[in-house]
Amino acid sequence: MSEHDGTHSDIFTDFDGTFDGVLARVMPIAANYSSEWAGTAARYDCRIKVRYHPELMAQLEEGMMIAVRNFRGQSKKSKREEIERYTVMVISKVWPLHYGLGGVHDSHYYPLQLEIIEQAVPDWSTTDQSTMMIHITAVPINYDLVLNKDNELSFKKGFSYPLIGEQVHVINMDTVDKIYNGRVKEALSWDKKFTSPDPRKDPRLGILRMFMESDKSVPIYVDLHKLIRYHFGVFSFTGGGKSNLMSNIFRRILFHTEDTKIIIFDISCEYPFLLCDALVDSKIPSKVILEEEPKNAEQFARSIVKPRGFEDDPIAEKALKDVYDSGVVTFYNRPSTQIPTFASLFQEMRTLRADSSTRPNYVQAIDEVMDTVRAWMSSHDLSENEEIDEAFVDMFADAASNAVIRFQVNERATVYAWATTRDSLKATIKRAKQAAADGVTVKDILRMLSGPERIICISIAEPDILRDLVIRLTGAALRYRKRSFVIKPQILFVFDEAQEFIPSNASGQTAHCSASVERLLRQGRKYGLGGAIATQRIAYLNTNIMQQLHTFFVGTLPRPYDRTVVSSSFQIELSILDKTLEFPPGSWLLSSYIAMGLDSVPVFVKADNSEEVLEAYMRSISSKKKTK
């Protein structure tokens, strides 16, 4: 780029002299507060006019970052300190205009319309700038690019009004790499110069889409520890690549963090295959928990869902057999008799209280028993989700019997019969403990959270069983971390098909599950517990949970309502979100409040393909088989 206009070729690019544009208009836009889900809009809509060049049209992409000098750079202080300031924007739309076509109207004579349109075709291959122009709309990202007299680059948060008529500059690949990856690479201690889609060799998530036509690519990294600790979400329609992206993120976490644990609530039963290469890795202790015990490898393989491209592949069956033979597969031992929890006891007592509302002495007796139970829980630091034990039953039975005697409850009343038979709970506890010793129980899974296992994949297709496990495991993990005052190792709780766990309108067990996940995400970051949410219908989710996510990946969401929810929840301009409608599977809009180089700045990325990793693993299995 030439230096006569004061630009910097080490920071900006003019695409080999083809980019020459100016800022034509800056239009303030009023925010729309007419509806909670109306979506948020950027404060300004910027229009840029660029001299036409056919090669330039092939290289310009939505999502590219551009910079324009602003009024703050005109201040006396900036000039005195030799500081240049540029308002940074993201391109939201690019389209060419032809002067001749602008005069064609539907009311004109039809042959004349066709003649003019057809004559315009050869012009697009020329560089006739008197007839054609490129228009760009851009959205400010509320950052200033600041250059000091030594040409050192920095970014300042906040919006500065750009100079209308000023030259527009496209930020080049090297600078974009520094912007998005500089700080993150330091956090990851990643100083390698190469980049690779192999998750074992490189912690990158993919590449930026903004320079897809270039021979080189810009990788994209996120701070994996902050990604986990401050929670993230993946949103796309069915077939958009959510599980593909999630499994790739999990590999980066497993291969490039020391001891992070991942517990997956896998209602689709697909992750045992998607992560089969990691599950058989002896350096990554793992456990796959199914609903029923598989008698052999063939039964296990039939219970697991495989991507379409691997459904009829015999090597895929061999990969699942290797997982089974590695000894990581077990099943959930859900005893037919459940040990009551404090929550179930409270529910019993509330029902009795409601049925006895016309008898004040019965109500007082029940209230006294409930207060006694609360006092026991407080003195033993217990929560409602925890199971009762025999020591509690002894106290509970005495308290209930004494209460009905003290408040003179009729011996024929239901409350009296209930209170004087509480010691029967010991038999219930005994029957539950006599369940089969095979498989794993909730307590076994809780021990895994403190054990060597780094992947705990609970692949159960029954939603009620999974919700019960979510309630028990998240609550227990949070309580343990609070008591022990530890934040390591980090544990990532993954809720795939999140609409089954955290719907916006729920009752009964589902509402309890949603509340448990909300509590985990609200409090977990203080204790090293993170959450990952994946769904195709974001509009159906608990909005309180959505507000806890600090990083999110948005794929194609065909329904406008879903996009407006994303816009409102994460402060993204709708015109940028609409770009995701053009995305093929594997492309995402990525933004983060904390885990990227620039906070709250959306960027278009092409994620590395997990199926390529699986294909490479299948080839290695096939070659070993042939060698034998």
Side-chain angles (χ1 to χ4, degrees):
M1 182 174 277
S2 62
E3 295 292 337
H4 72 278
D5 56 359
T7 57
H8 304 266
S9 58
D10 56 336
I11 299 172
F12 305 127
T13 178
D14 60 3
F15 296 102
D16 297 324
T18 61
F19 185 91
D20 183 9
V22 296
L23 180 63
R25 297 175 66 189
V26 178
M27 297 173 290
I29 300 176
N32 183 359
Y33 299 110
S34 60
S35 167
E36 180 183 0
W37 301 120
T40 57
R43 293 174 57 198
Y44 297 93
D45 181 24
C46 301
R47 301 296 175 89
I48 297 157
K49 297 184 183 292
V50 183
R51 297 185 187 278
Y52 179 80
H53 195 285
E55 185 63 29
L56 183 61
M57 273 303 302
Q59 296 188 63
L60 284 176
E61 287 266 359
E62 287 95 341
M64 284 184 172
M65 302 179 74
I66 58 177
V68 186
R69 294 181 192 272
N70 59 45
F71 281 97
R72 290 193 181 183
Q74 301 292 101
S75 68
K76 292 180 180 179
K77 180 180 178 181
S78 293
K79 291 181 178 179
R80 183 170 62 251
E81 297 177 0
E82 298 185 73
I83 292 176
E84 297 180 45
R85 293 184 73 118
Y86 296 80
T87 298
V88 181
M89 312 175 192
V90 171
I91 295 176
S92 58
K93 287 187 177 66
V94 179
W95 72 97
L97 289 178
H98 191 288
Y99 184 80
L101 295 177
V104 178
H105 298 285
D106 291 342
S107 60
H108 290 166
Y109 184 49
Y110 297 157
L112 177 61
Q113 291 185 47
L114 292 174
E115 181 69 21
I116 296 174
I117 292 171
E118 290 171 356
Q119 287 183 2
V121 173
D123 293 342
W124 297 121
S125 301
T126 71
T127 58
D128 185 359
Q129 298 172 349
S130 63
T131 305
M132 294 166 292
M133 180 182 289
I134 298 174
H135 276 213
I136 294 175
T137 61
V139 179
I141 64 171
N142 298 321
Y143 274 92
D144 274 6
L145 185 155
V146 180
L147 292 171
N148 64 17
K149 60 184 178 181
D150 297 321
N151 208 30
E152 294 175 339
L153 180 72
S154 63
F155 280 82
K156 301 293 184 182
K157 183 76 172 177
F159 173 78
S160 298
Y161 201 93
L163 294 169
I164 298 175
E166 183 60 79
Q167 190 82 14
V168 176
H169 312 286
V170 179
I171 299 177
N172 66 23
M173 294 176 67
D174 291 337
T175 307
V176 168
D177 189 12
K178 292 177 184 176
I179 292 171
Y180 282 109
N181 296 323
R183 189 174 71 183
V184 177
K185 285 181 178 179
E186 290 181 10
L188 294 173
S189 300
W190 183 257
D191 56 0
K192 307 292 191 299
K193 301 301 181 183
F194 71 90
T195 183
S196 169
D198 187 335
R200 293 179 182 271
K201 296 179 180 178
D202 193 342
R204 78 177 201 185
L205 295 186
I207 60 174
L208 296 179
R209 285 183 56 91
M210 64 180 70
F211 294 102
M212 295 290 285
E213 292 298 320
S214 174
D215 294 334
K216 296 195 301 180
S217 60
V218 179
I220 185 70
Y221 297 87
V222 297
D223 187 325
L224 296 174
H225 292 289
K226 290 182 178 178
L227 181 74
I228 297 168
R229 185 170 183 176
Y230 294 94
H231 323 308
F232 67 93
V234 178
F235 313 114
S236 179
F237 79 115
T238 302
K242 295 187 300 297
S243 300
N244 190 310
L245 174 65
M246 296 278 276
S247 58
N248 251 335
I249 293 174
F250 300 157
R251 284 189 178 87
R252 267 65 182 188
I253 292 171
L254 294 168
F255 298 150
H256 298 281
T257 64
E258 290 185 5
D259 54 2
T260 304
K261 296 174 177 288
I262 302 172
I263 178 167
I264 308 171
F265 297 98
D266 178 24
I267 199 169
S268 299
C269 301
E270 55 187 350
Y271 284 96
F273 181 77
L274 293 175
L275 295 173
C276 61
D277 57 317
L279 292 171
V280 298
D281 190 329
S282 59
K283 298 179 181 178
I284 303 176
S286 309
K287 192 66 70 177
V288 176
I289 303 171
L290 305 180
E291 184 175 352
E292 302 290 342
E293 180 182 11
K295 301 300 181 183
N296 49 52
E298 288 71 25
Q299 281 190 6
F300 171 64
R302 285 197 296 270
S303 69
I304 302 304
V305 176
K306 297 180 284 293
R308 189 179 300 111
F310 295 94
E311 287 178 348
D312 300 319
D313 189 345
I315 302 300
E317 300 291 325
K318 175 65 169 62
L320 287 172
K321 183 178 184 300
D322 289 348
V323 173
Y324 182 84
D325 292 342
S326 67
V328 303
V329 179
T330 184
F331 68 99
Y332 177 44
N333 178 4
R334 189 188 189 197
S336 56
T337 302
Q338 294 287 329
I339 298 177
T341 63
F342 290 101
S344 65
L345 292 185
F346 280 123
Q347 186 59 43
E348 276 184 18
M349 289 186 280
R350 292 188 190 103
T351 301
L352 285 170
R353 193 181 189 281
D355 293 341
S356 307
S357 58
T358 58
R359 296 179 177 271
N361 57 326
Y362 291 16
V363 171
Q364 288 178 300
I366 295 169
D367 285 347
E368 181 170 291
V369 177
M370 293 176 74
D371 289 342
T372 304
V373 174
R374 291 192 185 97
W376 173 277
M377 293 172 59
S378 177
S379 63
H380 291 79
D381 195 18
L382 300 171
S383 77
E384 290 191 7
N385 295 328
E386 294 195 57
E387 296 174 346
I388 63 174
D389 57 20
E390 293 182 353
F392 167 78
V393 173
D394 288 336
M395 180 280 302
F396 184 46
D398 288 342
S401 298
N402 292 336
V404 293
I405 293 172
R406 179 183 175 189
F407 289 97
Q408 299 180 358
V409 176
N410 192 309
E411 293 183 3
R412 297 181 180 180
T414 302
V415 174
Y416 188 93
W418 173 85
T420 55
T421 57
R422 290 308 82 203
D423 56 355
S424 64
L425 290 172
K426 284 187 176 181
T428 302
I429 295 173
K430 185 177 181 180
R431 285 195 302 272
K433 289 182 176 179
Q434 288 174 345
D438 294 336
V440 295
T441 64
V442 172
K443 290 185 177 180
D444 293 328
I445 301 173
L446 288 172
R447 282 192 287 268
M448 293 176 196
L449 295 181
S450 301
E453 288 84 1
R454 295 194 62 197
I455 306 175
I456 305 170
C457 183
I458 307 177
S459 297
I460 296 176
E462 176 53 51
D464 289 340
I465 297 177
L466 269 188
R467 292 189 197 109
D468 180 65
L469 284 171
V470 168
I471 294 167
R472 292 166 177 262
L473 296 177
T474 57
L478 199 54
R479 288 192 300 275
Y480 174 77
R481 288 293 174 98
K482 287 180 178 180
R483 292 174 188 167
S484 57
F485 299 99
V486 296
I487 62 172
K488 290 184 178 180
Q490 286 187 307
I491 303 176
L492 176 66
F493 290 82
V494 181
F495 306 96
D496 201 4
E497 303 296 341
Q499 69 277 2
E500 296 288 347
F501 304 102
I502 55 171
S504 55
N505 296 312
S507 60
Q509 184 198 47
T510 306
H512 195 181
C513 179
S514 182
S516 298
V517 177
E518 183 177 340
R519 188 182 307 111
L520 173 75
L521 267 61
R522 284 185 182 278
Q523 302 176 18
R525 70 189 62 164
K526 294 183 291 186
Y527 306 104
L529 305 177
I533 305 295
T535 185
Q536 64 265 27
R537 283 308 307 270
I538 184 175
Y540 290 163
L541 301 188
N542 180 336
T543 55
N544 293 329
I545 291 176
M546 300 304 299
Q547 298 298 329
Q548 303 304 315
L549 305 179
H550 281 58
T551 304
F552 48 92
F553 301 80
V554 182
T556 300
L557 294 172
R559 298 173 180 87
Y561 185 69
D562 287 336
R563 296 197 299 279
T564 56
V565 171
V566 172
S567 176
S568 179
S569 299
F570 304 120
Q571 305 295 301
I572 301 178
E573 164 62 16
L574 276 170
S575 63
I576 294 178
L577 274 173
D578 288 344
K579 173 66 177 175
T580 61
L581 293 172
E582 307 169 17
F583 283 177
S587 290
W588 303 89
L589 183 150
L590 166 61
S591 186
S592 177
Y593 296 122
I594 197 167
M596 295 175 64
L598 282 184
D599 300 337
S600 307
V601 177
V603 61
F604 300 135
V605 303
K606 181 179 182 296
D608 292 327
N609 190 350
S610 179
E611 292 192 8
E612 292 180 358
V613 177
L614 291 173
E615 288 171 358
Y617 176 63
M618 301 301 158
R619 287 195 297 269
S620 68
I621 292 177
S622 180
S623 61
K624 289 178 183 178
K625 189 175 181 181
K626 290 178 181 178
T627 302
K628 291 180 181 180

